[in-house]
Amino acid sequence: MNRNVRTLVLVSLLFGYATGAYEVLFPLYLDWIGVTFREMGILFSITAATIAGLTVLIGSQSDVHGRKLFYSISLAASSVVNFFVPFFRGLWEVLVLSVGNSASLSTRNSVHNVLLFELTRKKFLAAYSIVNGMEYFSQAMGLLGAGLILAASSFNLAFWASSLVVAVAFFLFAFSFHEERPEAVTEKQSRVAGPYLPRELSIFAISGLVMAVGFGCSHGFMTPLFFIKRFGVDDATVSVILTVHRLCFALPLIFADRVLALLKKLPSKAVMILLMIYQGLSIAVTALISDLFLATVVWVSHDLLAAAYWTPIHSALIQSYCREDSRGADSNKVTGIGSIGSIAAPFIAGILASVNITYPFIASGVITILAAFILLLV
């Protein structure tokens, strides 16, 4: 593992804590200041719409100017947003902050996996599993840590702790990571080949759009609110549930390449699709269970038994179909098209939750299965 990869691991650990903390803190903060489900849905939909094209733009520009610039900006922006959240309580004010956080996250995600692929190439599947698995593990610590800080003190301290952690990540990355793509920063003309995508990537993009709708109906702001409203748990308990949820993705992801090696005789696409179908089923069934413990077990199984294994395959297949001279643009066009689904998802989830808190999870499961079937066309 070279110096750049080690730096990426450390930065991912720090950034993971902050994103995990924000994931549990922000929806609870919105609920605390009196934002309704419907308003939350509109807020997150507007946020998603505002940044929908950002991933494509950043991806194409990073092909020209390199990845480090945009990665650094994303870390700095995340630190600033976390610091200022407790100062604002108006709906439009928190909307601006939500856009800022999502923009920083989108910018970072636009270059993270592409950068990791360029650093590891043939070892990408193993590197993806380890680096991203450790990040998700750190997110679990963020979910738990933020919940404990919130229970012991206030939103202010919880958000400011996250801000400090990301600030450390920014300085670590800015001074320790050395760009290894000199041709990217000296190239004067963009290499983006217009709106065209290879057929395989187009199918991945459509499936990703559908998947984003399904994912957004049961994840994000809806997850903690589902367990609070459905089972009457307190903030500390929901923080523990979210931590277990994230650990059930992070820990198996770290070892996913070894597990998938045992299945190497099976077509990777078939493995991916079957696991996605299981994920959809488990999410939908969760909504039908009235016992908290059993519902939690079934809920986390969608990560423990499915998502931790199909996501590395999914990412590796996308990178394999990207053109070498426009990898950032191709990869992020797929992500950008998929993110359109994130615009509709919070709005749909908010409306469904206002009728019955279980409906978003049922819809999520059905839509996830549809996204899996679309990949049969690849």
Side-chain angles (χ1 to χ4, degrees), residues 277-289:
I277 291 173
Y278 174 80
Q279 176 169 328
L281 289 172
S282 60
I283 291 173
V285 170
T286 299
L288 306 177
I289 300 173

Side-chain angles (χ1 to χ4, degrees), residues 78-344:
S78 178
S79 180
V80 170
V81 169
N82 274 277
F83 180 82
F84 280 107
V85 169
F87 293 103
F88 299 97
R89 297 186 180 182
L91 180 60
W92 292 105
E93 295 168 344
V94 294
L95 172 61
V96 172
L97 292 169
S98 177
V99 171
N101 180 75
S102 295
S104 67
L105 185 62
S106 177
T107 299
R108 191 256 183 178
N109 289 344
S110 294
V111 296
H112 178 73
N113 284 335
V114 176
L115 184 58
L116 184 60
F117 181 84
E118 290 173 340
L119 291 171
T120 57
R121 296 287 174 175
K122 292 182 179 180
K123 297 181 179 179
F124 174 71
L125 189 61
Y128 179 98
S129 299
I130 294 171
V131 175
N132 290 306
M134 293 180 70
E135 178 178 336
Y136 283 112
F137 177 82
S138 185
Q139 285 185 12
M141 296 302 99
L143 290 164
L144 180 61
L148 294 176
I149 293 173
L150 182 59
S153 58
S154 64
F155 281 108
N156 296 39
L157 186 59
F159 277 114
W160 290 342
S162 296
S163 176
L164 179 60
V165 169
V166 187
V168 173
F170 166 75
F171 285 109
L172 176 63
F173 185 79
F175 292 104
S176 297
F177 189 90
H178 298 289
E179 186 81 66
E180 294 183 341
R181 301 177 66 254
E183 76 282 359
V185 295
T186 57
E187 179 69 46
K188 300 299 183 184
Q189 304 238 345
S190 174
R191 299 174 184 175
V192 184
Y196 168 75
L197 275 176
R199 174 183 174 275
E200 295 85 356
L201 290 181
S202 297
I203 296 172
F204 270 101
I206 295 171
S207 172
L209 188 156
V210 176
M211 184 68 184
V213 176
F215 183 87
C217 282
S218 60
H219 288 71
F221 80 100
M222 187 51 60
T223 309
L225 296 176
F226 169 80
F227 283 98
I228 289 173
K229 304 301 182 182
R230 170 78 163 148
F231 300 104
V233 300
D234 57 22
D235 292 350
T237 302
V238 81
S239 178
V240 172
I241 293 172
L242 293 177
T243 301
V244 173
H245 172 216
R246 194 52 47 86
L247 285 174
C248 285
F249 182 68
L251 295 178
L253 180 59
I254 294 174
F255 305 101
D257 63 309
R258 300 179 189 179
V259 175
L260 293 173
L262 301 176
L263 303 174
K264 61 183 179 181
K265 292 184 179 180
L266 299 175
S268 57
K269 187 182 80 169
V271 173
M272 175 181 66
I273 291 172
L274 288 174
L275 292 176
M276 289 176 69
I277 291 173
Y278 174 80
Q279 176 169 328
L281 289 172
S282 60
I283 291 173
V285 170
T286 299
L288 306 177
I289 300 173
S290 58
D291 179 75
L292 173 62
F293 178 78
L294 183 58
T296 302
V297 170
V298 175
W299 164 247
V300 300
S301 75
H302 82 266
D303 279 333
L304 184 65
L305 302 178
Y309 304 105
W310 71 256
T311 50
I313 300 175
H314 188 269
S315 186
L317 286 174
I318 288 175
Q319 292 298 326
S320 72
Y321 291 123
C322 289
R323 295 162 290 184
E324 192 62 37
D325 62 348
S326 57
R327 180 171 303 281
D330 283 353
S331 175
N332 287 290
K333 282 175 188 174
V334 175
T335 305
I337 293 171
S339 70
I340 296 173
S342 301
I343 300 173

